Amino acid sequence: MVGQLQHPLPSRSGEDEIRDWLSQVCNYLDKTELSELTIGLFTLRSLSENLRGRNPDGILTNEDFKKGLLIVNILAELGSTKDVLLAGLLYSLAHSRILEASAINDFFGADIESLVSGVLRMTAVSEYGRSGDEPILGQVHTPKDNVRQMLVAIIDDVRIAMIKLAERTVVMRGLKSCPPEVQVLASQEVFDVYAPLADRLGIGHLKWELEDLSFRYSQPDDYHKVARLLD
């Protein structure tokens, strides 16, 4: 498989462990930026007391938070800025409505909220090429003309597209445990929309990984035949 996780997630969810993990993953940031990112991360911990009754440690073990860390890992490999990393961390929490846009704006600023909202708008393209009504892997059922919204978002701010690509890469890496019908639908979407988007943005290694994973899950028999030939 193309693109392996360089920095496994911390085995514990304590502040020291996550702070050390961030220092390794985001070692290209200067001390001020890294400190701001760390403060932003633990702002989530203080907020969690008021989020659906979660306890102060709950946000650090939440599955959407863990997904956010995986998104951060990919964005860091791309050399993303502190704001993009923070928006990537918050996206899944916002999509699951654990965090509302107003809270993101109040605690993290308007630019971060704008990035997260842009990624949420891009999620509308999940129904492109599909006719089912059931949401797939956290996506939202919307009309196909919302593809235009995705393109507008890309033109307005390429950072939004980068976060969405990182999020879809995380999802594709986790498809192994999903039912076959989910694997096929998610793979077709990624092949039709997100692999070409990665190519358009010049992110070659994500393009190749997304195509590889799409092929693996949408055409498993052919994929394994090719894999055997390459062995």
Side-chain angles (χ1 to χ4, degrees):
M1 181 188 297
V2 180
Q4 297 298 316
L5 190 65
Q6 294 183 359
H7 300 281
L9 295 187
S11 57
R12 299 175 60 191
S13 58
E15 291 189 14
D16 289 341
E17 287 77 15
I18 293 181
R19 185 181 290 107
D20 290 344
W21 182 84
L22 275 177
S23 297
Q24 295 176 30
V25 172
C26 308
N27 57 13
Y28 60 92
L29 297 178
D30 63 38
K31 290 184 178 180
T32 299
E33 292 173 323
L34 186 59
S35 176
E36 290 175 353
L37 180 61
T38 304
I39 290 170
L41 191 154
F42 288 109
T43 297
L44 287 172
R45 188 171 190 265
S46 63
L47 282 174
S48 66
E49 292 180 322
N50 299 316
L51 297 176
R52 295 184 180 180
R54 288 176 171 80
N55 62 53
D57 294 317
I59 200 70
L60 301 182
T61 56
N62 179 276
E63 288 303 315
D64 289 302
F65 177 79
K66 291 179 180 179
K67 182 179 178 182
L69 292 179
L70 292 171
I71 292 171
V72 167
N73 204 358
I74 294 172
L75 290 170
E77 291 176 7
L78 301 175
S80 300
T81 65
K82 176 258 302 178
D83 284 355
V84 172
L85 295 170
L86 187 53
L89 176 71
L90 297 174
Y91 165 72
S92 291
L93 293 164
H95 185 265
S96 296
R97 298 189 177 180
I98 294 173
L99 278 180
E100 298 294 337
S102 58
I104 295 175
N105 185 69
D106 290 343
F107 289 93
F108 302 99
D111 190 47
I112 303 297
E113 189 276 327
S114 177
L115 289 172
V116 174
S117 294
V119 184
L120 290 170
R121 287 193 299 271
M122 281 191 71
T123 302
V125 20
S126 62
E127 290 301 312
Y128 173 70
R130 294 198 275 109
S131 58
D133 292 330
E134 294 298 318
I136 300 296
L137 293 173
Q139 300 290 6
V140 180
H141 178 66
T142 51
K144 293 180 182 179
D145 61 6
N146 278 325
V147 172
R148 184 172 62 253
Q149 291 182 319
M150 182 194 75
L151 296 176
V152 170
I154 296 169
I155 294 171
D156 285 347
D157 196 333
V158 72
R159 298 177 299 172
I160 293 170
M162 290 176 62
I163 296 168
K164 186 60 184 177
L165 282 173
E167 185 268 341
R168 286 291 92 188
T169 303
V170 170
V171 167
M172 292 299 292
R173 288 176 178 178
L175 272 185
K176 185 176 182 179
S177 61
C178 295
E181 62 271 18
V182 173
Q183 294 175 347
V184 171
L185 288 172
S187 297
Q188 192 61 54
E189 176 200 40
V190 163
F191 186 82
D192 289 342
V193 179
Y194 293 106
L197 175 57
D199 186 43
R200 173 179 174 178
L201 296 179
I203 311 175
H205 71 284
L206 284 190
K207 168 186 178 289
W208 287 112
E209 179 173 3
L210 291 172
E211 288 181 341
D212 178 74
L213 290 170
S214 295
F215 183 31
R216 170 182 290 221
Y217 292 113
S218 63
Q219 303 179 59
D221 292 339
D222 290 340
Y223 178 88
H224 290 298
K225 287 180 182 178
V226 172
R228 284 194 294 269
L229 290 173
L230 295 176
D231 285 341

